[in-house]
Amino acid sequence: MKRKFLALLLACILTVSLLPIGSAFAMSETDVTLTATYEQLYTVTVEEVYPSEGGTVVVDPTIAMEGETVTVTVLPAYGFRLEWLIVMDVNRNLILDTFNTEASFTMPASDVTVEVYFTDMRTYTLTVNNGAGGGSYRVNDYVRITADEAPAGKQFKEWTGADGLTFISGSAATEIARFNMPARDVTLTATYEDAQEPGDVYLIGSYEELKAFAALVNGGNRGRNAKLTADIVAADENWTPIEWYSGIFDGCGYTITGLRISRNDAYVGMFSGIEEGGTVKNLALKDVNTQGSFYAGGIVGSNCGVVQNCCVTGSVTGSGNYVGGIVGSNEGVVRYCYSAATVSSGKTGGVIGANSGAAKSCYYDSEVLTGVSAIGLNDGTAT
C-alpha cells in the first residue's frame, strides 16, 4: 500500500522547466517543481567615435544572446560624413565592416566592440598674405604655402599666424611649407627682413671642394650653406648628386663646366632633390651631360624649394617621364631660369619636366630644342 501511494504522489508532481522571467500561473492542487535555466548574455560596447563631435551611435540591443540580431545606427552631426563603421569580437575578429549609417549583425558568442569614424566635411578658410596657397579647405586637407619673392634688399623671415600648425614639411621659417588644414580658419602672412649673408658658409673654389661639399651634405649635413668663389671645371668622372638639400647654395654667377651625371635611377641632376627651405641660385652649368630615368634635370631632379637665376647648357636625358633642362619635377618655385640644353624622354619640358608648384619668367632656347614647351606637364602656375 505504501508503494502504491508513493507512485501516485510522484505521478501527481508537475515539473515546469521553462517559464519567462516574472511569469505567473495558477497553482494546481498538486506539488509543483520549477527549474530556472539561463543563457549567456553578451555586451555591445561603442569603443571609439572619432572625432568625438562627428556624431552619435545607437546600438539596439546593447545586451544580446548568441544568434540575436543587433542593429547599429549612426547619426552624423551636421557637416560630418560617416567614413567607416566596424564591429569586432574580443579577439579583434571582424564581424561588420560598412559605410552604411544603419547596419545589423548576428551576435556571436562573445562581447563585441563598435568603432565609428567620421570625416569632417566642413570647410575652413586659409588666407595667405604676401604669398600663394590660400583658399577653402577641409580638415586634414593637404596645404602648400609659398611666399612671394622678397622685395629688393630683403629676404624671407617667417610666416606669422602659424602657431598651432603641424607642418608636414618645411616650417614657419621656410618660404615653402606644407601642413594639414586644422578645424579652424587660418591667416598666414609672409614677412621679410633686411637681406644678410647666411652664416656658416662653405666656400667652394675647385672641383675637389665641390665634391667634398657634396659628401658633407650626403653625410647628413643637408642644411649647410655654400658659395662658389670661382668657375669650376669638373673632372671626367661620374658625379654623385647632392641629396635632398635644404641649405642655400649660391653660385654667385660662376659656372661649373662639364658635369657628367649618369645613373639608372630617378631624381638625377647636380642635386637629386631640394627640400622646402632649400635654395639654389645664381648658378650656371655649362655642357652638362645628365642621364637618368624619371625626374631628371640639369640643376635638380625634384625641387620642393627654390631654384632661381640658374642656366644650363648641354643635354638632359631620361628613360622615363618628367625631364627638364633645369628641373625634372617642381613642387616648389622656379624663377628667372634659362635652358639651352637638349632634353629627351617621354614627357619633357625645356625648363621643367612636370610642374605642380610655381614657375616664373623661365625660358628655353627653341632653336636648340624644338617640339616642346617650357613645361612638359603643368598642374601648377606659370607666369
Side-chain angles (χ1 to χ4, degrees), residues 142-190:
Y142 174 89
V143 178
R144 180 176 61 210
I145 52 173
T146 304
D148 289 341
E149 183 180 0
K154 300 287 185 179
Q155 65 183 23
F156 175 81
K157 180 181 179 182
E158 63 181 359
W159 294 99
T160 61
D163 292 347
L165 295 181
T166 301
F167 287 92
I168 301 169
S169 58
S171 69
T174 60
E175 292 181 62
I176 302 169
R178 310 172 201 221
F179 59 91
N180 291 117
M181 190 69 184
R184 60 183 173 87
D185 294 337
V186 176
T187 298
L188 299 174
T189 301

Side-chain angles (χ1 to χ4, degrees), residues 74-139:
V74 180
L75 304 171
Y78 177 76
F80 288 84
R81 181 189 69 196
L82 174 65
E83 189 71 24
W84 198 14
L85 163 62
I86 58 175
V87 178
M88 292 179 287
D89 66 16
V90 292
N91 295 316
R92 306 294 289 177
N93 295 313
L94 193 63
I95 298 170
L96 179 65
D97 178 2
T98 182
F99 307 114
N100 297 323
T101 55
E102 184 171 312
S104 298
F105 64 92
T106 300
M107 193 70 179
S110 165
D111 292 337
V112 301
T113 56
V114 177
E115 297 180 9
V116 178
Y117 299 90
F118 296 98
T119 296
D120 191 343
M121 303 299 290
R122 297 171 296 180
T123 58
Y124 299 90
T125 300
L126 171 64
T127 302
V128 178
N129 298 315
N130 302 330
S136 295
Y137 298 92
R138 295 187 310 179
V139 175

Side-chain angles (χ1 to χ4, degrees), residues 32-321:
V32 176
T33 299
L34 299 178
T35 302
T37 60
Y38 303 91
E39 290 190 273
Q40 179 70 45
L41 294 176
Y42 301 98
T43 61
V44 183
T45 303
V46 180
E47 186 176 78
E48 178 87 48
V49 176
Y50 181 84
S52 58
E53 70 272 21
T56 57
V57 181
V58 178
V59 177
D60 183 32
T62 57
I63 300 175
M65 297 181 294
E66 180 185 3
E68 191 173 351
T69 298
V70 178
T71 300
V72 182
T73 303
V74 180
L75 304 171
Y78 177 76
F80 288 84
R81 181 189 69 196
L82 174 65
E83 189 71 24
W84 198 14
L85 163 62
I86 58 175
V87 178
M88 292 179 287
D89 66 16
V90 292
N91 295 316
R92 306 294 289 177
N93 295 313
L94 193 63
I95 298 170
L96 179 65
D97 178 2
T98 182
F99 307 114
N100 297 323
T101 55
E102 184 171 312
S104 298
F105 64 92
T106 300
M107 193 70 179
S110 165
D111 292 337
V112 301
T113 56
V114 177
E115 297 180 9
V116 178
Y117 299 90
F118 296 98
T119 296
D120 191 343
M121 303 299 290
R122 297 171 296 180
T123 58
Y124 299 90
T125 300
L126 171 64
T127 302
V128 178
N129 298 315
N130 302 330
S136 295
Y137 298 92
R138 295 187 310 179
V139 175
N140 291 325
D141 274 356
Y142 174 89
V143 178
R144 180 176 61 210
I145 52 173
T146 304
D148 289 341
E149 183 180 0
K154 300 287 185 179
Q155 65 183 23
F156 175 81
K157 180 181 179 182
E158 63 181 359
W159 294 99
T160 61
D163 292 347
L165 295 181
T166 301
F167 287 92
I168 301 169
S169 58
S171 69
T174 60
E175 292 181 62
I176 302 169
R178 310 172 201 221
F179 59 91
N180 291 117
M181 190 69 184
R184 60 183 173 87
D185 294 337
V186 176
T187 298
L188 299 174
T189 301
T191 61
Y192 304 89
E193 62 186 358
D194 291 339
Q196 51 190 296
E197 290 294 319
D200 192 22
V201 177
Y202 191 104
L203 300 179
I204 302 170
S206 68
Y207 182 67
E208 290 304 315
E209 289 174 346
L210 182 64
K211 286 176 62 178
F213 173 74
L216 181 68
V217 174
N218 293 346
N221 198 345
R222 302 196 186 284
R224 186 68 184 272
N225 300 317
K227 273 186 173 183
L228 294 188
T229 61
D231 292 331
I232 293 172
V233 176
D236 185 17
E237 62 183 22
N238 196 13
W239 171 256
T240 299
I242 300 171
E243 298 177 354
W244 305 106
Y245 184 61
S246 60
I248 298 173
F249 188 99
D250 190 347
C252 297
Y254 290 108
T255 299
I256 300 174
T257 301
L259 203 64
R260 180 165 59 85
I261 311 132
S262 180
R263 296 168 68 91
N264 186 24
D265 203 354
Y267 307 109
V268 176
M270 177 180 172
F271 296 80
S272 60
I274 301 172
E275 297 181 349
E276 289 90 349
T279 297
V280 175
K281 62 182 181 179
N282 308 323
L283 175 65
L285 297 183
K286 180 181 178 182
D287 296 334
V288 68
N289 184 350
T290 301
Q291 299 178 38
S293 58
F294 291 82
Y295 308 116
I299 298 292
V300 60
S302 177
N303 174 52
C304 295
V306 176
V307 177
Q308 177 175 310
N309 294 331
C310 293
C311 63
V312 174
T313 68
S315 66
V316 182
T317 303
S319 59
N321 292 326

Side-chain angles (χ1 to χ4, degrees), residues 338-359:
Y338 172 77
S339 175
T342 60
V343 180
S344 60
S345 82
K347 287 188 181 296
T348 63
V351 178
I352 302 170
N355 176 50
S356 58

